[in-house]
Amino acid sequence: PGDERESTSLFIGNVSFNTTPQQLREYFEVHGPLLECVVPRGKNGNAKGFAFVRFVELDDARNAVRATSGVMLDGRELRATSGVM
């Protein structure tokens, strides 16, 4: 059987290629302290259009998913889902 536990890690989709890790961290820290904020980049150094954030507390991660899915950041509508980092 698979592990169905919720995660403190969130997958953030539809992130603007111009959004910096610092901007994303500041945006999500409103919901609670973060352990990590990663904006993956390709071999050419350009952002890939998604990110991962990991909260200290599960409740903060849950609140962030509810509060941020569909909101605009840098002209893009974010999609936040609980995921694996």
Side-chain angles (χ1 to χ4, degrees):
D3 188 341
E4 299 296 325
R5 292 181 304 164
E6 288 182 87
S7 175
T8 58
S9 295
L10 304 182
F11 172 83
I12 313 301
N14 205 34
V15 175
S16 167
F17 298 114
N18 298 318
T19 301
T20 66
Q22 184 60 33
Q23 287 173 300
L24 210 56
R25 177 176 284 280
E26 289 171 3
Y27 185 81
F28 279 94
E29 280 182 329
V30 169
H31 304 286
L34 298 181
L35 291 172
E36 195 166 14
C37 177
V38 178
V39 178
R41 298 190 174 278
K43 291 180 182 178
N44 61 3
N46 294 336
K48 292 186 172 185
F50 63 91
F52 297 97
V53 294
R54 187 162 44 126
F55 285 88
V56 173
E57 300 292 334
L58 181 57
D59 283 342
D60 294 339
R62 286 181 188 141
N63 291 336
V65 169
R66 284 193 293 271
T68 61
S69 285
V71 299
M72 301 292 285
L73 179 65
D74 269 351
R76 302 286 294 267
E77 186 177 322
L78 298 180
R79 292 190 303 265
T81 57
S82 182
V84 177
M85 191 166 186

